[in-house]
Amino acid sequence: MLLKITFTQQRRVRLAQGLWLMSWLAVMSGAFIFCLGVYLKTELLRRAEVMDNTEIHVVPNILMMVGLVSIGTNWVATRVCQDSLDASRFPRWKLLLMAWFAVAMLLCCLLLAVVVLSYALQGRLEESLKVGLRNGIRFYKDTDVPGRCFQKETIDRLQMEFRCCGNNNFKDWFEVQWVSNRYLDFTSKDVKDRIRSNVDGRFLLDGVPFSCCNPASPRPCLQYHLTDNRAHYSYDYQAEELNLYSRGCRQALTDYYMEMMNSTGPGVLSVILIQMSVLVSLRYLQTAVEGATALEDPEGESVGYLLEKGVKETFEDVKANVLDILKFAQVDPSAAEGSPGAEDAEKPADNTTEKAASPTPSPAS
Amino acid sequence: MPFMPVKFNLQKRVKLAQGLWMLYWFSVIAGILIFSLGIFFKIELRKRSEMMDNNESHLVPNLLILAGLLACGLNAFGGKVCHDSLDPIKFSNWKPMLKTYLLLCCGFNVLLVLVSLLCFLMQFSVYLTLAEGLSYAIRFYKDTDTPGRCFMKRTLDLTQIEFHCCGNNNFRDWFEVQWISNRYLDMSNDVVKDRVLSNVEGKYLMDSVPFSCCNPGSPRPCIQHHLTNNSAHYDYDHRTEELNIWTRGCLGALFSYYSSLMSSIGGFVLFAIILESVDMAGLKYLSTALETMADPENPECESEGWLLEKGVKETFSDLLTKLKTLGRTNQVEGGDAPEANT
C-alpha cells in the first residue's frame, strides 16, 4: 500500500466535508481558467489583422477547453463527496471514479503543457507578427483596394496605442511607398525625380506617417525629410530621440502578449495544485469509504491509500492488462467481448486465468 | 388615526424583518457603489485637471465619497437592528435609538437629494471650466520649456488622440495661436520673418494643426500644414475634405464625456434615495408593529404598524407647536441653554 492513512469515522466525515468545499473551489478555479482563456483569445483576435498565422491560438483554446471540462469534473467530485458518507449511494460511483481520476490527471497535464507552450511559442508569435506587420506596412496605402482598405487605420491605431513605429524601427517606412499614387502629382518635378531614381518606380520618402509621432516630444512632430538635417531648424537626425517612437511594433506586441501570458502563469500553477489536491483527497476518500463498507462495523476505522500495491507493482499490473487487451485483440479480432481496460485494473488475476482456460473461443457463426 | 396602518401577525412580522434585512444589505452595496463612483469621478477630474487649468471644483466627488461612507454605516446599523428585531431582549437595546436613527436617515436623504441636484447643476460649472482651461492649454502648447507647463503639449496631444477632437471649438482655434515655440523657428529665414512681421503681435501664425488632430480613418496620409491652401496639396479641397482631421472640438467632446458621467451618477443617487426611503418606511412599520404588540410575552399576537402616529396634517401641526414652544422657552428663559430636541 502506498502512503496509507488510517481514518476514523469522524476523520472520514471531515475529509468528505473538506473535499466538498475544495471541489467547489476547484469548480470556481475551472471557471477562472475558462475566463482567462476567453480573455486571451479576445486579445489575440483584436490584433488578428497583423498576425500571419493563428498558431498561438492553441494556448487560449486549450485553456478554454480545460476550464469547461474542469468545471464538469469537479462538479462530479462534489456529488461524489455528498454521496460518500451514505453507504447505499456510494457504490454507484465506483466505475465512474476510475475514469474521473484519468480525466483529472489529463487536465493537470494539459495545464502544465499550456504553461510550457506559452513560453515555447514566443518565437512563432514573433515570426507571425513580423510577416503580418510587413504586409500591413506594405498595404498601408491601399485604402481603395477591397479587403485591404482598413490596413491604414489598423496600423495607425496600432502605432498610436502601443507607442511603436514600423516593424523593427521607423526606418521600415523608408523602404515602402506608403503614399498612394492617387495623391501624388505626377506633373511635379520632385515627384517625377523620386520615382525615376528608384529601380521599381516607387515613390520612396525618408518620412513616416503621423501615427509614429511621439506626443512627449518638446517640439512639434517632424514627419518628413527625417534624414536631412538642413530641412529643419536646429535638428540633428543622429541625436534626436523623442521625436518619433523608437520601439518597433513587433517588439511592442510580443512584449505585450508575453507579459500577459507570463502573468497568468502563477494562476495556472495554483489551479494545477488545487486540482492535484482534489485528486489525492478523493482517492483517499474513496479507498477509506470502501474499506469502511467492507468492515463489519461501518463506523469503525479503515485504511485509506493512494495505490493498493507499490508504484512498481501497479505499473506492472497496468502494463500486463494493456498487453492482454492488445493480445486479445490480435488473436481474436472478431471477438465481440473485451472488457474496457479501466475495469481490468481491479481484477488482473481473473482475466489471465480466464484467457488461459479458453485460448480460442469459437468464432460466432 | 394613524397614517397608513397595516395589521401584522407573527408571520408577517418575520417576513418584514427578513425582507428588510436583505434590503438594508442591498443598500450597503449601493452605498459602496456611490463611494466608488465618487472616487472614480475624482480620479477622472484629476487626470484632466490640466485641461481645466487646475481650477475644477471637487465638491461633487467629495460629497459622493462622504455620502457613500455614511450610507454604508447607516444601512449596516439598520441591518443589525432588523437582525435583532425578532428577539425581544436584543431589540429592547436598540429601541431608544430608533427615533434618532430615523431622524438621521431623514437628514441623510436630504443630503442625497442635494448631491443629486448638484450632479445635474454642476455640469454648467464643468463646461465653463473646460472652455477656459482648453483655451489656456492651446495657448501654452508651445511652452515645453516653461516649468509648470512643460507637459501641456503631451497632455493636449494625448487628449486630442483619445477623444478624437481638435482645438477648443474646432480646428481653426489652432490658426489663432502660435503653437510652435520660437526655439524651433529659424529667425534668419525670410519666410519666417515675413510671417512674424505680418502679424500685429509678432506671433508666428500658420494655417496648420498639430499631428494629434489627424484622423487615422482618412484614406489619405494626413495633411497637417497649409490646410486652407488647396493648391498646396494634390487633389485637395479644404471645403469638402471631412476625414483628414478631427472636426469635433475638444470642448464638446470632453463636456459630453463628463456630462454623461455626472448624469448617470445623478440617476444612481436618485435610485439610492428611493431605496433609502423604502428602508425607512419598512423600519418604521417594523418598529411600530413590535411596539404595539398587545401581549409582549406572546409572540403570536397581532399588532398594528403605521408610518405616522397621527395623520399627516396633525403631525405637522404638532411639530410646529413644538418648535413654537421651543422658541417661547428660549424667550422666557433667555439665559438658559435650549432644550435638547426630543
Side-chain angles (χ1 to χ4, degrees):
Chain A
M1 288 200 182
L2 185 68
L3 293 177
K4 57 180 180 181
I5 302 178
T6 24
F7 285 96
T8 57
Q9 171 71 353
Q10 203 194 23
R11 265 177 136 191
R12 280 198 295 274
V13 171
R14 284 265 167 84
L15 179 63
Q17 287 171 337
L19 187 57
W20 184 84
L21 275 172
M22 201 149 48
S23 303
W24 276 113
L25 180 67
V27 168
M28 295 213 258
S29 51
F32 165 71
I33 292 281
F34 177 72
C35 294
L36 202 63
V38 168
Y39 172 66
L40 257 155
K41 187 125 181 125
T42 18
E43 281 296 309
L44 283 171
L45 282 175
R46 263 172 81 185
R47 313 281 166 205
E49 284 171 329
V50 292
M51 287 197 224
D52 185 48
N53 60 34
T54 51
E55 276 177 19
I56 190 78
H57 282 246
V58 73
V59 170
N61 289 345
I62 293 182
L63 278 175
M64 289 198 287
M65 191 188 66
V66 165
L68 284 174
V69 174
S70 150
I71 290 176
T73 322
N74 291 314
W75 181 81
V76 166
T78 60
R79 307 288 311 152
V80 171
C81 284
Q82 275 181 303
D83 288 347
S84 63
L85 296 169
D86 184 350
S88 56
R89 284 162 62 174
F90 189 67
R92 66 179 175 170
W93 293 110
K94 217 167 131 91
L95 289 177
L96 192 64
L97 274 176
M98 280 292 136
W100 190 95
F101 287 128
V103 169
M105 281 301 309
L106 183 67
L107 286 179
C108 290
C109 293
L110 276 176
L111 280 176
L112 264 173
V114 157
V115 174
V116 168
L117 270 177
S118 65
Y119 285 105
L121 286 177
Q122 181 177 348
R124 305 290 301 153
L125 176 69
E126 274 203 56
E127 273 300 310
S128 159
L129 281 171
K130 185 158 113 173
V131 175
L133 281 168
R134 198 176 58 210
N135 287 339
I137 291 175
R138 234 192 306 157
F139 303 143
Y140 184 84
K141 66 180 186 343
D142 295 335
T143 45
D144 52 347
V145 175
R148 294 188 205 152
C149 41
F150 287 111
Q151 286 286 17
K152 178 183 179 294
E153 191 171 350
T154 310
I155 296 281
D156 277 336
R157 284 191 193 276
L158 188 78
Q159 292 192 143
M160 287 200 287
E161 194 181 324
F162 284 88
R163 299 183 210 218
C164 58
C165 188
N167 207 336
N168 302 308
N169 53 38
F170 62 89
K171 295 192 210 176
D172 297 320
W173 289 104
F174 297 176
E175 295 157 18
V176 295
Q177 176 181 351
W178 54 272
V179 184
S180 173
N181 284 335
R182 308 198 307 286
Y183 308 117
L184 289 174
D185 182 7
F186 284 98
T187 57
S188 149
K189 187 176 175 300
D190 177 49
V191 174
K192 276 194 282 196
D193 279 343
R194 272 195 188 270
I195 291 187
R196 261 191 238 129
S197 69
N198 179 266
V199 175
D200 302 316
R202 292 185 292 171
F203 181 79
L204 301 180
L205 300 166
D206 54 348
V208 293
F210 77 93
S211 41
C212 281
C213 286
N214 186 356
S217 162
R219 147 177 225 164
C221 186
L222 300 168
Q223 277 182 257
Y224 298 104
H225 307 294
L226 285 168
T227 49
D228 186 1
N229 282 354
R230 294 167 303 142
H232 315 281
Y233 181 66
S234 173
Y235 172 67
D236 183 4
Y237 166 60
Q238 311 291 353
E240 188 67 52
E241 280 174 347
L242 281 175
N243 185 39
L244 305 171
Y245 293 126
S246 46
R247 203 162 58 148
C249 286
R250 189 184 54 180
Q251 189 59 44
L253 278 168
T254 312
D255 285 346
Y256 173 69
Y257 282 121
M258 279 301 120
E259 195 189 311
M260 202 189 297
M261 288 204 238
N262 289 349
S263 59
T264 62
V268 173
L269 283 172
S270 43
V271 169
I272 295 177
L273 264 169
I274 293 174
Q275 188 69 57
M276 284 304 299
S277 43
V278 167
L279 200 152
V280 164
S281 313
L282 192 60
R283 176 68 178 161
Y284 272 122
L285 186 66
Q286 176 204 19
T287 45
V289 168
E290 277 175 3
T293 46
L295 290 176
E296 290 164 0
D297 172 24
E299 307 246 330
E301 284 200 356
S302 66
V303 179
Y305 49 81
L306 279 183
L307 292 171
E308 197 166 353
K309 305 165 189 157
V311 183
K312 263 199 167 179
E313 290 161 0
T314 321
F315 191 58
E316 299 288 313
D317 278 343
V318 171
K319 215 167 61 170
N321 283 334
V322 169
L323 285 173
D324 279 340
I325 295 170
L326 287 177
K327 223 185 296 167
F328 215 52
Q330 270 186 341
V331 171
D332 301 305
S334 58
E337 59 176 283
S339 26
E343 280 158 306
D344 280 354
E346 315 253 65
K347 302 185 188 94
D350 293 347
N351 266 345
T352 40
T353 44
E354 264 176 52
K355 282 170 205 133
S358 54
T360 49
S362 50
S365 52
Chain B
M1 202 30 218
F3 182 63
M4 291 180 68
V6 176
K7 286 243 178 278
F8 284 99
N9 56 15
L10 176 69
Q11 209 189 18
K12 266 180 139 183
R13 277 198 298 271
V14 169
K15 278 233 172 92
L16 177 64
Q18 286 173 339
L20 200 58
W21 179 81
M22 295 251 327
L23 202 62
Y24 264 118
W25 281 110
F26 192 60
S27 310
V28 170
I29 295 177
I32 293 176
L33 263 172
I34 292 184
F35 176 74
S36 17
L37 277 174
I39 294 213
F40 173 67
F41 189 34
K42 199 168 173 82
I43 293 177
E44 284 295 306
L45 281 177
R46 273 281 170 82
K47 257 166 68 173
R48 306 215 168 77
S49 64
E50 276 197 68
M51 298 289 104
M52 301 195 240
D53 203 24
N54 294 320
N55 220 358
E56 75 277 10
S57 160
H58 279 254
L59 177 68
V60 173
N62 290 342
L63 275 179
L64 280 171
I65 292 173
L66 179 70
L69 287 172
L70 272 177
C72 281
L74 284 173
N75 292 324
F77 178 77
K80 180 87 177 96
V81 168
C82 284
H83 189 256
D84 290 345
S85 62
L86 294 170
D87 182 354
I89 307 165
K90 285 194 198 163
F91 188 63
S92 53
N93 292 339
W94 301 118
K95 254 212 283 206
M97 298 194 232
L98 275 181
K99 197 152 188 207
T100 340
Y101 173 70
L102 280 172
L103 275 173
L104 270 175
C105 281
C106 253
F108 178 64
N109 257 5
V110 170
L111 173 71
L112 280 182
V113 170
L114 179 72
V115 167
S116 162
L117 265 175
L118 276 177
C119 277
F120 291 105
L121 292 177
M122 289 289 275
Q123 293 181 19
F124 295 108
S125 149
V126 167
Y127 184 85
L128 292 171
T129 329
L130 272 174
E132 199 189 334
L134 276 172
S135 64
Y136 282 136
I138 292 177
R139 232 192 300 162
F140 301 146
Y141 183 84
K142 66 181 184 347
D143 296 333
T144 44
D145 54 348
T146 312
R149 294 187 205 152
C150 40
F151 289 115
M152 193 61 94
K153 176 184 179 293
R154 191 180 71 161
T155 314
L156 190 52
D157 277 334
L158 287 173
T159 307
Q160 292 194 144
I161 291 175
E162 190 185 333
F163 283 87
H164 298 182
C165 59
C166 187
N168 205 339
N169 300 306
N170 55 38
F171 61 90
R172 282 168 218 275
D173 297 317
W174 289 107
F175 298 175
E176 295 156 17
V177 294
Q178 176 180 351
W179 53 272
I180 299 188
S181 172
N182 283 335
R183 306 195 309 281
Y184 307 117
L185 289 174
D186 182 10
M187 291 300 179
S188 57
N189 185 315
D190 282 332
V191 175
V192 175
K193 275 196 285 196
D194 278 344
R195 270 194 189 270
V196 172
L197 285 169
S198 71
N199 180 268
V200 175
E201 294 155 35
K203 290 195 287 186
Y204 180 81
L205 302 180
M206 309 181 285
D207 54 348
S208 317
V209 292
F211 78 93
S212 42
C213 283
C214 287
N215 182 357
S218 162
R220 141 175 231 166
C222 187
I223 296 172
Q224 276 181 258
H225 305 282
H226 307 294
L227 282 169
T228 49
N229 184 359
N230 282 354
S231 50
H233 315 280
Y234 181 66
D235 192 18
Y236 173 68
D237 182 1
H238 77 270
R239 273 179 284 265
T240 52
E241 189 65 53
E242 280 175 346
L243 283 173
N244 184 41
I245 48 177
W246 302 117
T247 43
R248 198 160 66 146
C250 287
L251 179 61
L254 279 169
F255 177 66
S256 76
Y257 172 70
Y258 278 115
S259 122
S260 58
L261 183 63
M262 287 170 89
S263 301
S264 30
I265 292 179
F268 186 73
V269 171
L270 282 172
F271 169 72
I273 292 173
I274 295 174
L275 203 60
E276 282 291 321
S277 318
V278 171
D279 283 338
M280 273 170 61
L283 189 63
K284 184 71 176 171
Y285 271 122
L286 186 64
S287 61
T288 46
L290 286 171
E291 273 168 23
T292 59
M293 282 207 289
D295 179 12
E297 301 298 314
N298 174 20
E300 304 258 336
C301 69
E302 290 214 343
S303 62
E304 200 186 26
W306 57 71
L307 277 182
L308 293 170
E309 199 161 350
K310 305 163 192 158
V312 184
K313 269 194 171 176
E314 290 164 0
T315 319
F316 259 122
S317 47
D318 272 349
L319 212 66
L320 278 171
T321 38
K322 242 193 236 172
L323 284 172
K324 276 192 211 150
T325 45
L326 198 68
R328 220 173 289 150
T329 328
N330 274 348
Q331 274 182 342
V332 171
E333 298 157 55
D336 293 338
E339 295 180 84
N341 195 11
T342 44

